[in-house]
mmCIF file of all heavy atoms in Angstrom:
data_model
loop_
_atom_site.group_PDB
_atom_site.id
_atom_site.type_symbol
_atom_site.label_atom_id
_atom_site.label_comp_id
_atom_site.label_asym_id
_atom_site.label_seq_id
_atom_site.Cartn_x
_atom_site.Cartn_y
_atom_site.Cartn_z
ATOM 1 N N SER H 1 134.983 82.233 -95.611
ATOM 2 C CA SER H 1 136.421 82.378 -95.417
ATOM 3 C C SER H 1 136.997 83.120 -96.621
ATOM 4 O O SER H 1 136.465 83.022 -97.731
ATOM 5 C CB SER H 1 137.080 81.010 -95.274
ATOM 6 O OG SER H 1 136.612 80.333 -94.117
ATOM 7 N N PHE H 2 138.067 83.849 -96.410
ATOM 8 C CA PHE H 2 138.672 84.648 -97.469
ATOM 9 C C PHE H 2 139.770 83.875 -98.197
ATOM 10 O O PHE H 2 140.465 83.055 -97.596
ATOM 11 C CB PHE H 2 139.262 85.938 -96.895
ATOM 12 C CG PHE H 2 138.266 86.813 -96.198
ATOM 13 C CD1 PHE H 2 138.626 87.548 -95.075
ATOM 14 C CD2 PHE H 2 136.957 86.900 -96.645
ATOM 15 C CE1 PHE H 2 137.708 88.350 -94.416
ATOM 16 C CE2 PHE H 2 136.035 87.698 -95.997
ATOM 17 C CZ PHE H 2 136.407 88.429 -94.878
ATOM 18 N N GLY H 3 139.912 84.178 -99.484
ATOM 19 C CA GLY H 3 140.970 83.544 -100.260
ATOM 20 C C GLY H 3 142.351 83.947 -99.793
ATOM 21 O O GLY H 3 143.280 83.143 -99.786
ATOM 22 N N THR H 4 142.506 85.199 -99.410
ATOM 23 C CA THR H 4 143.760 85.712 -98.857
ATOM 24 C C THR H 4 143.429 86.552 -97.628
ATOM 25 O O THR H 4 142.356 87.165 -97.554
ATOM 26 C CB THR H 4 144.516 86.585 -99.883
ATOM 27 O OG1 THR H 4 143.655 87.650 -100.343
ATOM 28 C CG2 THR H 4 144.947 85.752 -101.077
ATOM 29 N N PRO H 5 144.322 86.616 -96.636
ATOM 30 C CA PRO H 5 144.042 87.409 -95.439
ATOM 31 C C PRO H 5 143.770 88.867 -95.775
ATOM 32 O O PRO H 5 144.421 89.459 -96.637
ATOM 33 C CB PRO H 5 145.318 87.246 -94.605
ATOM 34 C CG PRO H 5 145.916 85.962 -95.068
ATOM 35 C CD PRO H 5 145.605 85.887 -96.528
ATOM 36 N N VAL H 6 142.802 89.443 -95.091
ATOM 37 C CA VAL H 6 142.408 90.833 -95.295
ATOM 38 C C VAL H 6 143.016 91.677 -94.184
ATOM 39 O O VAL H 6 142.811 91.409 -92.995
ATOM 40 C CB VAL H 6 140.876 90.964 -95.294
ATOM 41 C CG1 VAL H 6 140.446 92.420 -95.268
ATOM 42 C CG2 VAL H 6 140.287 90.261 -96.514
ATOM 43 N N THR H 7 143.749 92.712 -94.567
ATOM 44 C CA THR H 7 144.421 93.579 -93.594
ATOM 45 C C THR H 7 143.911 95.011 -93.634
ATOM 46 O O THR H 7 144.385 95.861 -92.888
ATOM 47 C CB THR H 7 145.934 93.589 -93.846
ATOM 48 O OG1 THR H 7 146.193 94.020 -95.192
ATOM 49 C CG2 THR H 7 146.523 92.188 -93.657
ATOM 50 N N ASP H 8 142.928 95.279 -94.492
ATOM 51 C CA ASP H 8 142.401 96.628 -94.673
ATOM 52 C C ASP H 8 140.926 96.642 -94.293
ATOM 53 O O ASP H 8 140.149 95.788 -94.739
ATOM 54 C CB ASP H 8 142.587 97.062 -96.133
ATOM 55 C CG ASP H 8 142.033 98.452 -96.401
ATOM 56 O OD1 ASP H 8 142.698 99.429 -96.038
ATOM 57 O OD2 ASP H 8 140.921 98.544 -96.975
ATOM 58 N N MET H 9 140.514 97.631 -93.480
ATOM 59 C CA MET H 9 139.129 97.664 -93.031
ATOM 60 C C MET H 9 138.146 97.866 -94.176
ATOM 61 O O MET H 9 137.070 97.282 -94.195
ATOM 62 C CB MET H 9 138.935 98.771 -91.979
ATOM 63 C CG MET H 9 137.569 98.654 -91.276
ATOM 64 S SD MET H 9 137.173 99.969 -90.111
ATOM 65 C CE MET H 9 136.660 101.234 -91.258
ATOM 66 N N ASP H 10 138.492 98.691 -95.146
ATOM 67 C CA ASP H 10 137.592 98.910 -96.274
ATOM 68 C C ASP H 10 137.381 97.620 -97.071
ATOM 69 O O ASP H 10 136.274 97.349 -97.538
ATOM 70 C CB ASP H 10 138.129 100.015 -97.184
ATOM 71 C CG ASP H 10 138.031 101.391 -96.558
ATOM 72 O OD1 ASP H 10 137.186 101.568 -95.645
ATOM 73 O OD2 ASP H 10 138.797 102.295 -96.962
ATOM 74 N N MET H 11 138.441 96.838 -97.219
ATOM 75 C CA MET H 11 138.299 95.567 -97.923
ATOM 76 C C MET H 11 137.427 94.604 -97.127
ATOM 77 O O MET H 11 136.578 93.905 -97.686
ATOM 78 C CB MET H 11 139.678 94.941 -98.180
ATOM 79 C CG MET H 11 139.633 93.759 -99.154
ATOM 80 S SD MET H 11 141.273 93.048 -99.444
ATOM 81 C CE MET H 11 142.069 94.440 -100.250
ATOM 82 N N LEU H 12 137.623 94.572 -95.811
ATOM 83 C CA LEU H 12 136.770 93.749 -94.953
ATOM 84 C C LEU H 12 135.324 94.190 -95.056
ATOM 85 O O LEU H 12 134.412 93.370 -95.152
ATOM 86 C CB LEU H 12 137.245 93.834 -93.498
ATOM 87 C CG LEU H 12 136.360 93.107 -92.464
ATOM 88 C CD1 LEU H 12 136.329 91.608 -92.720
ATOM 89 C CD2 LEU H 12 136.840 93.395 -91.037
ATOM 90 N N MET H 13 135.112 95.502 -95.084
ATOM 91 C CA MET H 13 133.759 96.031 -95.189
ATOM 92 C C MET H 13 133.108 95.650 -96.522
ATOM 93 O O MET H 13 131.905 95.437 -96.595
ATOM 94 C CB MET H 13 133.783 97.553 -95.011
ATOM 95 C CG MET H 13 132.417 98.169 -94.714
ATOM 96 S SD MET H 13 131.703 97.523 -93.182
ATOM 97 C CE MET H 13 130.088 96.996 -93.780
ATOM 98 N N GLY H 14 133.926 95.574 -97.582
ATOM 99 C CA GLY H 14 133.399 95.145 -98.865
ATOM 100 C C GLY H 14 132.831 93.741 -98.796
ATOM 101 O O GLY H 14 131.761 93.447 -99.344
ATOM 102 N N ALA H 15 133.547 92.854 -98.101
ATOM 103 C CA ALA H 15 133.065 91.482 -97.935
ATOM 104 C C ALA H 15 131.812 91.446 -97.068
ATOM 105 O O ALA H 15 130.816 90.806 -97.414
ATOM 106 C CB ALA H 15 134.160 90.616 -97.321
ATOM 107 N N VAL H 16 131.851 92.148 -95.933
ATOM 108 C CA VAL H 16 130.709 92.143 -95.024
ATOM 109 C C VAL H 16 129.489 92.784 -95.677
ATOM 110 O O VAL H 16 128.354 92.385 -95.427
ATOM 111 C CB VAL H 16 131.077 92.840 -93.694
ATOM 112 C CG1 VAL H 16 129.841 93.031 -92.816
ATOM 113 C CG2 VAL H 16 132.135 92.039 -92.950
ATOM 114 N N ALA H 17 129.705 93.762 -96.555
ATOM 115 C CA ALA H 17 128.593 94.367 -97.282
ATOM 116 C C ALA H 17 127.868 93.315 -98.114
ATOM 117 O O ALA H 17 126.633 93.271 -98.160
ATOM 118 C CB ALA H 17 129.093 95.503 -98.181
ATOM 119 N N GLN H 18 128.629 92.456 -98.770
ATOM 120 C CA GLN H 18 128.008 91.386 -99.543
ATOM 121 C C GLN H 18 127.208 90.461 -98.640
ATOM 122 O O GLN H 18 126.077 90.078 -98.970
ATOM 123 C CB GLN H 18 129.075 90.575 -100.283
ATOM 124 C CG GLN H 18 128.476 89.398 -101.053
ATOM 125 C CD GLN H 18 129.524 88.508 -101.664
ATOM 126 O OE1 GLN H 18 130.535 88.991 -102.189
ATOM 127 N NE2 GLN H 18 129.316 87.200 -101.600
ATOM 128 N N TYR H 19 127.761 90.101 -97.485
ATOM 129 C CA TYR H 19 127.069 89.187 -96.585
ATOM 130 C C TYR H 19 125.775 89.809 -96.054
ATOM 131 O O TYR H 19 124.752 89.133 -95.943
ATOM 132 C CB TYR H 19 127.978 88.789 -95.424
ATOM 133 C CG TYR H 19 129.331 88.252 -95.833
ATOM 134 C CD1 TYR H 19 130.406 88.306 -94.951
ATOM 135 C CD2 TYR H 19 129.554 87.719 -97.097
ATOM 136 C CE1 TYR H 19 131.651 87.819 -95.309
ATOM 137 C CE2 TYR H 19 130.802 87.236 -97.467
ATOM 138 C CZ TYR H 19 131.848 87.301 -96.569
ATOM 139 O OH TYR H 19 133.083 86.840 -96.920
ATOM 140 N N ALA H 20 125.825 91.105 -95.711
ATOM 141 C CA ALA H 20 124.634 91.780 -95.191
ATOM 142 C C ALA H 20 123.544 91.854 -96.253
ATOM 143 O O ALA H 20 122.364 91.616 -95.969
ATOM 144 C CB ALA H 20 125.003 93.181 -94.709
ATOM 145 N N MET H 21 123.931 92.167 -97.491
ATOM 146 C CA MET H 21 122.945 92.238 -98.569
ATOM 147 C C MET H 21 122.350 90.865 -98.856
ATOM 148 O O MET H 21 121.145 90.728 -99.090
ATOM 149 C CB MET H 21 123.578 92.822 -99.832
ATOM 150 C CG MET H 21 124.050 94.272 -99.699
ATOM 151 S SD MET H 21 122.722 95.434 -99.307
ATOM 152 C CE MET H 21 121.787 95.395 -100.841
ATOM 153 N N ARG H 22 123.186 89.841 -98.835
ATOM 154 C CA ARG H 22 122.693 88.479 -99.047
ATOM 155 C C ARG H 22 121.777 88.042 -97.906
ATOM 156 O O ARG H 22 120.760 87.399 -98.131
ATOM 157 C CB ARG H 22 123.878 87.525 -99.178
ATOM 158 C CG ARG H 22 123.500 86.049 -99.301
ATOM 159 C CD ARG H 22 122.571 85.782 -100.455
ATOM 160 N NE ARG H 22 122.212 84.360 -100.509
ATOM 161 C CZ ARG H 22 121.058 83.922 -100.989
ATOM 162 N NH1 ARG H 22 120.146 84.784 -101.462
ATOM 163 N NH2 ARG H 22 120.800 82.635 -101.008
ATOM 164 N N ALA H 23 122.106 88.413 -96.673
ATOM 165 C CA ALA H 23 121.252 88.090 -95.528
ATOM 166 C C ALA H 23 119.885 88.739 -95.673
ATOM 167 O O ALA H 23 118.844 88.122 -95.401
ATOM 168 C CB ALA H 23 121.932 88.530 -94.232
ATOM 169 N N GLY H 24 119.857 90.014 -96.106
ATOM 170 C CA GLY H 24 118.589 90.688 -96.336
ATOM 171 C C GLY H 24 117.773 90.001 -97.411
ATOM 172 O O GLY H 24 116.547 89.858 -97.296
ATOM 173 N N GLU H 25 118.444 89.553 -98.475
ATOM 174 C CA GLU H 25 117.762 88.840 -99.555
ATOM 175 C C GLU H 25 117.135 87.546 -99.042
ATOM 176 O O GLU H 25 115.990 87.219 -99.385
ATOM 177 C CB GLU H 25 118.753 88.549 -100.677
ATOM 178 C CG GLU H 25 118.140 87.901 -101.907
ATOM 179 C CD GLU H 25 119.175 87.624 -102.989
ATOM 180 O OE1 GLU H 25 120.293 88.170 -102.903
ATOM 181 O OE2 GLU H 25 118.866 86.851 -103.905
ATOM 182 N N LYS H 26 117.859 86.808 -98.201
ATOM 183 C CA LYS H 26 117.337 85.565 -97.639
ATOM 184 C C LYS H 26 116.134 85.833 -96.733
ATOM 185 O O LYS H 26 115.149 85.081 -96.748
ATOM 186 C CB LYS H 26 118.429 84.827 -96.873
ATOM 187 C CG LYS H 26 119.533 84.265 -97.768
ATOM 188 C CD LYS H 26 120.714 83.747 -96.974
ATOM 189 C CE LYS H 26 120.372 82.484 -96.193
ATOM 190 N NZ LYS H 26 121.589 81.908 -95.523
ATOM 191 N N LEU H 27 116.206 86.904 -95.952
ATOM 192 C CA LEU H 27 115.063 87.265 -95.111
ATOM 193 C C LEU H 27 113.822 87.511 -95.967
ATOM 194 O O LEU H 27 112.729 87.029 -95.662
ATOM 195 C CB LEU H 27 115.373 88.513 -94.286
ATOM 196 C CG LEU H 27 116.302 88.370 -93.080
ATOM 197 C CD1 LEU H 27 116.573 89.748 -92.482
ATOM 198 C CD2 LEU H 27 115.691 87.462 -92.011
ATOM 199 N N ARG H 28 113.978 88.274 -97.044
ATOM 200 C CA ARG H 28 112.840 88.609 -97.901
ATOM 201 C C ARG H 28 112.287 87.365 -98.595
ATOM 202 O O ARG H 28 111.080 87.239 -98.773
ATOM 203 C CB ARG H 28 113.245 89.670 -98.922
ATOM 204 C CG ARG H 28 113.602 91.016 -98.295
ATOM 205 C CD ARG H 28 113.777 92.120 -99.331
ATOM 206 N NE ARG H 28 114.923 91.903 -100.203
ATOM 207 C CZ ARG H 28 116.173 92.232 -99.915
ATOM 208 N NH1 ARG H 28 116.467 92.810 -98.749
ATOM 209 N NH2 ARG H 28 117.159 92.013 -100.785
ATOM 210 N N GLN H 29 113.162 86.442 -98.954
ATOM 211 C CA GLN H 29 112.715 85.202 -99.584
ATOM 212 C C GLN H 29 111.808 84.409 -98.653
ATOM 213 O O GLN H 29 110.869 83.747 -99.101
ATOM 214 C CB GLN H 29 113.920 84.355 -99.995
ATOM 215 C CG GLN H 29 114.679 84.891 -101.196
ATOM 216 C CD GLN H 29 115.947 84.113 -101.468
ATOM 217 O OE1 GLN H 29 116.395 83.295 -100.669
ATOM 218 N NE2 GLN H 29 116.560 84.364 -102.628
ATOM 219 N N HIS H 30 112.085 84.469 -97.359
ATOM 220 C CA HIS H 30 111.304 83.729 -96.376
ATOM 221 C C HIS H 30 110.203 84.562 -95.728
ATOM 222 O O HIS H 30 109.507 84.083 -94.830
ATOM 223 C CB HIS H 30 112.229 83.166 -95.294
ATOM 224 C CG HIS H 30 113.152 82.081 -95.768
ATOM 225 N ND1 HIS H 30 112.797 80.748 -95.823
ATOM 226 C CD2 HIS H 30 114.413 82.141 -96.241
ATOM 227 C CE1 HIS H 30 113.806 80.035 -96.278
ATOM 228 N NE2 HIS H 30 114.806 80.851 -96.543
ATOM 229 N N GLY H 31 110.041 85.821 -96.161
ATOM 230 C CA GLY H 31 109.006 86.676 -95.595
ATOM 231 C C GLY H 31 109.237 87.034 -94.145
ATOM 232 O O GLY H 31 108.294 87.166 -93.374
ATOM 233 N N LEU H 32 110.509 87.228 -93.762
ATOM 234 C CA LEU H 32 110.877 87.480 -92.371
ATOM 235 C C LEU H 32 111.562 88.827 -92.204
ATOM 236 O O LEU H 32 112.059 89.417 -93.170
ATOM 237 C CB LEU H 32 111.812 86.377 -91.864
ATOM 238 C CG LEU H 32 111.307 84.930 -91.930
ATOM 239 C CD1 LEU H 32 112.429 83.963 -91.581
ATOM 240 C CD2 LEU H 32 110.127 84.729 -90.974
ATOM 241 N N VAL H 33 111.586 89.304 -90.963
ATOM 242 C CA VAL H 33 112.413 90.435 -90.562
ATOM 243 C C VAL H 33 113.227 90.011 -89.353
ATOM 244 O O VAL H 33 112.867 89.059 -88.643
ATOM 245 C CB VAL H 33 111.562 91.688 -90.231
ATOM 246 C CG1 VAL H 33 110.889 92.229 -91.470
ATOM 247 C CG2 VAL H 33 110.542 91.389 -89.137
ATOM 248 N N ALA H 34 114.340 90.702 -89.121
ATOM 249 C CA ALA H 34 115.231 90.380 -88.010
ATOM 250 C C ALA H 34 115.217 91.490 -86.979
ATOM 251 O O ALA H 34 115.032 92.665 -87.313
ATOM 252 C CB ALA H 34 116.651 90.143 -88.514
ATOM 253 N N GLY H 35 115.447 91.104 -85.707
ATOM 254 C CA GLY H 35 115.497 92.075 -84.625
ATOM 255 C C GLY H 35 116.885 92.282 -84.059
ATOM 256 O O GLY H 35 117.104 93.214 -83.280
ATOM 257 N N ARG H 36 117.834 91.403 -84.446
ATOM 258 C CA ARG H 36 119.186 91.530 -83.905
ATOM 259 C C ARG H 36 120.197 91.078 -84.956
ATOM 260 O O ARG H 36 119.982 90.075 -85.650
ATOM 261 C CB ARG H 36 119.332 90.695 -82.637
ATOM 262 C CG ARG H 36 120.631 90.959 -81.878
ATOM 263 C CD ARG H 36 120.576 90.455 -80.456
ATOM 264 N NE ARG H 36 120.566 89.009 -80.406
ATOM 265 C CZ ARG H 36 119.677 88.261 -79.776
ATOM 266 N NH1 ARG H 36 118.706 88.868 -79.136
ATOM 267 N NH2 ARG H 36 119.733 86.946 -79.771
ATOM 268 N N LEU H 37 121.298 91.827 -85.077
ATOM 269 C CA LEU H 37 122.362 91.505 -86.027
ATOM 270 C C LEU H 37 123.680 91.359 -85.277
ATOM 271 O O LEU H 37 124.009 92.182 -84.418
ATOM 272 C CB LEU H 37 122.480 92.599 -87.095
ATOM 273 C CG LEU H 37 123.606 92.463 -88.143
ATOM 274 C CD1 LEU H 37 123.129 93.009 -89.483
ATOM 275 C CD2 LEU H 37 124.882 93.197 -87.712
ATOM 276 N N THR H 38 124.408 90.306 -85.616
ATOM 277 C CA THR H 38 125.749 90.096 -85.081
ATOM 278 C C THR H 38 126.731 90.041 -86.241
ATOM 279 O O THR H 38 126.512 89.314 -87.212
ATOM 280 C CB THR H 38 125.834 88.783 -84.283
ATOM 281 O OG1 THR H 38 124.961 88.856 -83.145
ATOM 282 C CG2 THR H 38 127.258 88.543 -83.795
ATOM 283 N N VAL H 39 127.794 90.835 -86.156
ATOM 284 C CA VAL H 39 128.856 90.792 -87.148
ATOM 285 C C VAL H 39 130.126 90.317 -86.446
ATOM 286 O O VAL H 39 130.396 90.696 -85.302
ATOM 287 C CB VAL H 39 129.065 92.173 -87.817
ATOM 288 C CG1 VAL H 39 129.449 93.231 -86.793
ATOM 289 C CG2 VAL H 39 130.117 92.098 -88.922
ATOM 290 N N PHE H 40 130.873 89.433 -87.109
ATOM 291 C CA PHE H 40 132.091 88.916 -86.495
ATOM 292 C C PHE H 40 133.188 88.790 -87.539
ATOM 293 O O PHE H 40 132.926 88.712 -88.748
ATOM 294 C CB PHE H 40 131.835 87.552 -85.844
ATOM 295 C CG PHE H 40 131.700 86.418 -86.824
ATOM 296 C CD1 PHE H 40 132.814 85.702 -87.259
ATOM 297 C CD2 PHE H 40 130.463 86.072 -87.330
ATOM 298 C CE1 PHE H 40 132.702 84.669 -88.174
ATOM 299 C CE2 PHE H 40 130.336 85.038 -88.260
ATOM 300 C CZ PHE H 40 131.470 84.335 -88.678
ATOM 301 N N PHE H 41 134.414 88.752 -87.099
ATOM 302 C CA PHE H 41 135.557 88.455 -87.960
ATOM 303 C C PHE H 41 136.704 87.981 -87.086
ATOM 304 O O PHE H 41 136.781 88.310 -85.899
ATOM 305 C CB PHE H 41 135.973 89.674 -88.808
ATOM 306 C CG PHE H 41 136.281 90.923 -88.026
ATOM 307 C CD1 PHE H 41 137.582 91.202 -87.613
ATOM 308 C CD2 PHE H 41 135.283 91.835 -87.722
ATOM 309 C CE1 PHE H 41 137.872 92.369 -86.910
ATOM 310 C CE2 PHE H 41 135.564 93.002 -87.018
ATOM 311 C CZ PHE H 41 136.849 93.265 -86.608
ATOM 312 N N HIS H 42 137.604 87.178 -87.673
ATOM 313 C CA HIS H 42 138.737 86.677 -86.894
ATOM 314 C C HIS H 42 139.880 86.254 -87.809
ATOM 315 O O HIS H 42 139.704 86.060 -89.026
ATOM 316 C CB HIS H 42 138.327 85.515 -85.985
ATOM 317 C CG HIS H 42 137.748 84.315 -86.678
ATOM 318 N ND1 HIS H 42 138.517 83.426 -87.419
ATOM 319 C CD2 HIS H 42 136.478 83.836 -86.736
ATOM 320 C CE1 HIS H 42 137.752 82.480 -87.896
ATOM 321 N NE2 HIS H 42 136.507 82.699 -87.501
ATOM 322 N N THR H 43 141.039 86.083 -87.227
ATOM 323 C CA THR H 43 142.226 85.592 -87.910
ATOM 324 C C THR H 43 142.180 84.066 -87.998
ATOM 325 O O THR H 43 141.249 83.435 -87.499
ATOM 326 C CB THR H 43 143.489 86.039 -87.173
ATOM 327 O OG1 THR H 43 143.380 85.625 -85.783
ATOM 328 C CG2 THR H 43 143.639 87.559 -87.204
ATOM 329 N N ASN H 44 143.215 83.488 -88.624
ATOM 330 C CA ASN H 44 143.304 82.036 -88.750
ATOM 331 C C ASN H 44 143.735 81.442 -87.416
ATOM 332 O O ASN H 44 144.882 81.575 -87.006
ATOM 333 C CB ASN H 44 144.299 81.663 -89.854
ATOM 334 C CG ASN H 44 144.265 80.179 -90.183
ATOM 335 O OD1 ASN H 44 143.882 79.344 -89.364
ATOM 336 N ND2 ASN H 44 144.659 79.832 -91.399
ATOM 337 N N ARG H 45 142.817 80.753 -86.767
ATOM 338 C CA ARG H 45 143.083 80.220 -85.435
ATOM 339 C C ARG H 45 144.063 79.058 -85.453
ATOM 340 O O ARG H 45 144.587 78.662 -84.399
ATOM 341 C CB ARG H 45 141.772 79.789 -84.797
ATOM 342 C CG ARG H 45 140.815 80.952 -84.555
ATOM 343 C CD ARG H 45 139.391 80.490 -84.335
ATOM 344 N NE ARG H 45 138.495 81.607 -84.094
ATOM 345 C CZ ARG H 45 137.165 81.527 -84.129
ATOM 346 N NH1 ARG H 45 136.594 80.384 -84.421
ATOM 347 N NH2 ARG H 45 136.417 82.596 -83.891
#
């Protein structure tokens, strides 16, 4: 979750970039590869 709402796509991409890099790191730690990626985002429900 974000500290403040994100209204700019580049800022959102900055966050998602971190998540994607961290996901890749976790895969390598477990000796795995992935075949499908899902990216999601939403407002405060």
Side-chain angles (χ1 to χ4, degrees):
S1 297
F2 301 145
T4 56
V6 170
T7 57
D8 179 78
M9 192 185 79
D10 289 337
M11 192 180 295
L12 175 63
M13 196 61 233
V16 171
Q18 177 186 320
Y19 307 157
M21 296 299 291
R22 176 56 181 150
E25 184 180 346
K26 291 170 69 174
L27 285 175
R28 295 190 294 276
Q29 287 173 349
H30 292 274
L32 302 172
V33 293
R36 190 163 70 234
L37 177 146
T38 297
V39 60
F40 75 88
F41 56 92
H42 59 73
T43 54
N44 189 335
R45 296 162 179 166

